[in-house]
Amino acid sequence: MPLHLVPADIAALAERVVAENAAQGRKVAVAESCTGGLVAGSLTEIAGSSAVLERGFVTYSNEAKMEMLGVAQDIIETFGAVSIACAWSMAKGALERSHADVAVAISGVAGPGGGTALKPVGTVVFARVVRNSDGEPEGELKFFEGGEGPDGRATIRHQATLCALELLLP
């Protein structure tokens, strides 16, 4: 078994993402906030990932989301950074600023602090945009359990990384 810097379940899914996208000649881009580059890092664990991962954006701050991905300040002020509207805008910006065929965005509250009654720790939003697609971008809000305690942050980020990798499968 090869040594990976990421957990085995993430490495296995990343391997599928690379293999299945490479087989279709498809390039991917990721725009990450709460995962802080874990999705891109997981993909680069896999030999041959350069044929698939076109680029990644780590946009942890609101300013980075606006400057690097073109997220409108109005979206962040109205809906917040942890919103489907923001994730859609992040994914759209990543696709527009890359040569990828598909872009996935992730933004959430990994904890242990930062949660609110409306967006508690464990709230994560995802969006996927496919180049030359007629429909609206796909977006989903998820709540991941396990955000409390000393391993809570890692638990949320782990689950969010797996979800984002699933969205990158063709």
Side-chain angles (χ1 to χ4, degrees):
M1 186 87 162
L3 173 67
H4 290 288
L5 296 175
V6 297
D9 58 343
I10 290 176
L13 186 52
E15 192 168 346
R16 276 190 60 207
V17 169
V18 170
E20 293 180 26
N21 280 288
Q24 292 190 10
R26 200 168 91 147
K27 298 261 189 191
V28 304
V30 292
E32 302 183 63
S33 187
C34 68
T35 49
L38 288 172
V39 179
S42 299
L43 293 172
T44 62
E45 280 288 294
I46 309 306
S49 60
S50 60
V52 172
L53 180 61
E54 205 279 328
R55 71 186 69 191
F57 300 87
V58 177
T59 56
Y60 206 69
S61 71
N62 291 342
E63 291 78 14
K65 290 172 182 65
M66 291 184 288
E67 292 170 13
M68 294 173 67
L69 299 172
V71 176
Q73 186 172 350
D74 288 353
I75 287 175
I76 292 173
E77 289 175 355
T78 304
F79 303 105
V82 182
S83 66
I84 290 176
C86 184
W88 281 345
S89 188
M90 289 170 65
K92 185 174 179 251
L95 196 66
E96 289 171 351
R97 289 159 173 78
S98 73
H99 302 284
D101 301 297
V102 62
V104 167
I106 310 102
S107 187
V109 185
T116 66
L118 291 176
K119 296 176 187 175
V121 171
T123 303
V124 184
V125 290
F126 301 87
R128 176 172 61 185
V129 179
V130 178
R131 190 172 300 283
N132 301 323
S133 176
D134 292 334
E136 285 291 315
E138 301 170 47
E140 185 173 8
L141 183 145
K142 291 194 172 225
F143 177 76
F144 297 116
E145 297 285 342
E148 304 306 320
D151 298 331
R153 184 174 180 79
T155 298
I156 301 303
R157 295 174 80 219
H158 183 116
Q159 293 175 84
T161 299
L162 286 169
C163 186
L165 287 168
E166 287 279 346
L167 289 171
L168 289 170
L169 289 169

